[in-house]
Amino acid sequence: MSGGSSAELLVGRHVRRLFGGSGGRSAGARPRRSAVGLLVCLVVLLLALLDGCGRPPKDVTAVVGVTATSAEPAPALSDALAATLRAEADRSQKPGVPDARLVQLGRAPADVDLTPMRGGDVENDSTERVKLIDAAFGKLSAGLASRAATREQLDVLDTLRAVAEAGSGPIYLLTSGVSTVDPVNLASLGWTFDAKAVAADLRRRDLLPHLGGRSVTFVGLGRVAGAQPALDQPEEVQVKALWLAICEAAGAAHCAVDDSSVVTAAPVATDVVSVVPVPRRHGTMTVAPPSDVLFGPDSAVLLPGADVPLCGLADQLIACDAGARVDNTGHVADVVQRRAGARRDRQPRRRRPAVQRCRTRHFRLGAPPAEDTFADTRRSLIEVGALS
């Protein structure tokens, strides 16, 4: 059969059997060839539809997921993510193609087109493009900051799954990572878990999202707000290790944590999120307020503005465990010129009421009770040490 493919020949045989025709050339051959062509087209169309099944929607520059709970700062673009989107917007000449797709549990994905437009046309003047892109980013930032979780608890794993299914572009997940929902509930896991072991267990139980070949960047891991206690460095390291391990176990080609600058603002969300306890560590914190803002020259009387630095110290001391012990240590200031007839051995007596006044004022500001000690070192400062 001249010019015919083997696939067409094979299909043609079945068509001829179906219509009861023979293999010879006859007047009825043309309709049979038309039927063959129609069937081939249907097969190609069916294969195309099957090929598209299960694939994420059209590619975008970034698929941005947010958890936006009351236990995290309001969602915000990091410097690195903003630079990526801005560069794409500056290159864009195709309006209608989204630069970012915002994904949040309980809400429909929202596409953001940052192409600088003047009416119905793309703006080509470089100065005007910058202005239009700045305005678009202002709206994007405001829209992100106003987002609030629509359901209780902080579910990072399910959000990651929703982001993966919402688009095929690079994934950026804006979250603290302090998940409070099983199977990744940090309140249950504690802080001594093996991140790779947790990820391997999730993979064994088929609980991971499908991230094959994807690029995933986490933004804001470890940054908390609201009633959630701040994470110390070891806990922050654990949170980052956990989500990087989960990302890798889910098959992503690239997993990263974006620690570039993020402008943090209070969350607008009011959802209920369980508090994940954070261990307090034993150690010593020593702070030294400037003595010149606490006392006047050769005086043990607190200055009127002393409450400003002392309030800051009181806040730090209040954050200590209930069993913390606070030591106020007073030091004699170096004196270059003393009044005629002044005796050096009087300085310890002036030092004692000064330290006692600091302790009393701290207690009134809410700090734990303190013990007073008096050092012989001659320095113009008062040290307050918190021991827990």
Side-chain angles (χ1 to χ4, degrees):
M1 187 180 256
S2 176
S5 66
S6 59
E8 184 179 349
L9 180 60
L10 178 61
V11 173
R13 288 174 181 170
H14 289 286
V15 171
R16 284 194 293 273
R17 289 177 184 173
L18 179 65
F19 284 92
S22 64
R25 297 179 182 269
S26 66
R30 181 167 299 178
R32 287 197 294 272
R33 284 198 298 270
S34 299
V36 170
L38 177 60
L39 185 57
V40 170
C41 289
L42 289 174
V43 170
V44 172
L45 178 60
L46 180 60
L47 290 175
L49 291 173
L50 290 174
D51 185 55
C53 287
R55 285 192 174 186
K58 188 176 181 179
D59 197 5
V60 292
T61 302
V63 188
V64 182
V66 297
T67 44
T69 69
S70 60
E72 312 166 280
L77 299 175
S78 66
D79 287 350
L81 177 54
T84 298
L85 292 175
R86 187 176 289 274
E88 185 63 26
D90 192 47
R91 288 192 297 266
S92 179
Q93 294 291 332
K94 295 180 180 180
V97 177
D99 295 296
R101 180 169 291 131
L102 304 183
V103 182
Q104 181 181 348
L105 293 180
R107 297 180 63 170
D111 285 347
V112 179
D113 184 4
L114 299 172
T115 304
M117 300 292 294
R118 180 179 54 188
D121 300 319
V122 176
E123 177 61 72
N124 289 314
D125 181 84
S126 59
T127 302
E128 293 301 317
R129 284 178 70 88
V130 171
K131 293 179 181 178
L132 291 170
I133 292 173
D134 286 344
F137 264 83
K139 292 181 180 179
L140 174 58
S141 298
L144 277 175
S146 66
R147 288 200 163 228
T150 60
R151 58 177 70 176
E152 295 183 355
Q153 302 303 336
L154 204 169
D155 193 342
V156 183
L157 189 65
D158 207 20
T159 302
L160 181 58
R161 180 178 292 104
V163 176
E165 295 172 353
S168 58
I171 293 172
Y172 294 85
L173 185 54
L174 281 52
T175 180
S176 70
V178 185
S179 182
T180 61
V181 177
D182 290 332
V184 188
N185 185 347
L186 287 174
S188 302
L189 287 174
W191 293 106
T192 58
F193 56 82
D194 182 322
K196 291 188 180 298
V198 172
D201 178 63
L202 293 173
R203 181 173 56 189
R204 180 182 58 80
R205 296 157 60 192
D206 196 24
L207 296 176
L208 294 177
H210 299 292
L211 301 178
R214 304 291 291 275
S215 171
V216 180
T217 302
F218 297 95
V219 180
L221 288 182
R223 295 169 182 159
V224 299
Q228 174 59 47
L231 305 188
D232 289 335
Q233 185 179 11
E235 287 71 48
E236 185 174 328
V237 169
Q238 275 288 74
V239 167
K240 293 176 180 178
L242 173 64
W243 291 108
L244 286 176
I246 288 175
C247 176
E248 293 169 359
H254 174 75
C255 301
V257 174
D258 179 0
D259 282 327
S260 63
S261 177
V262 176
V263 177
T264 56
V268 298
T270 57
D271 60 311
V272 177
V273 178
S274 300
V275 170
V276 176
V278 178
R280 295 289 183 181
R281 288 172 173 76
H282 296 285
T284 301
M285 175 184 69
T286 303
V287 288
S291 59
D292 57 344
V293 301
L294 298 179
F295 304 100
D298 198 28
S299 171
V301 179
L302 287 170
L303 294 172
D307 275 2
V308 176
L310 291 180
C311 274
L313 293 179
D315 288 341
Q316 296 182 55
L317 298 175
I318 291 170
C320 295
D321 284 342
R325 190 190 74 198
V326 180
D327 288 338
N328 286 340
T329 304
H331 299 270
V332 178
D334 287 331
V335 179
V336 177
Q337 294 181 343
R338 297 196 302 273
R339 292 176 302 170
R343 294 172 54 87
R344 191 166 193 144
D345 60 2
R346 292 180 56 196
Q347 289 175 344
R349 290 195 292 272
R350 291 198 303 270
R351 173 180 55 191
R352 183 175 295 275
V355 176
Q356 290 172 340
R357 285 190 177 96
C358 268
R359 169 180 42 85
T360 301
R361 185 66 58 87
H362 264 128
F363 183 72
R364 289 176 179 173
L365 292 172
E371 298 180 2
D372 301 334
T373 57
F374 307 96
D376 291 333
T377 307
R378 305 182 185 282
R379 288 184 294 163
S380 56
L381 56 83
I382 292 178
E383 291 183 348
V384 181
L387 305 176
S388 57

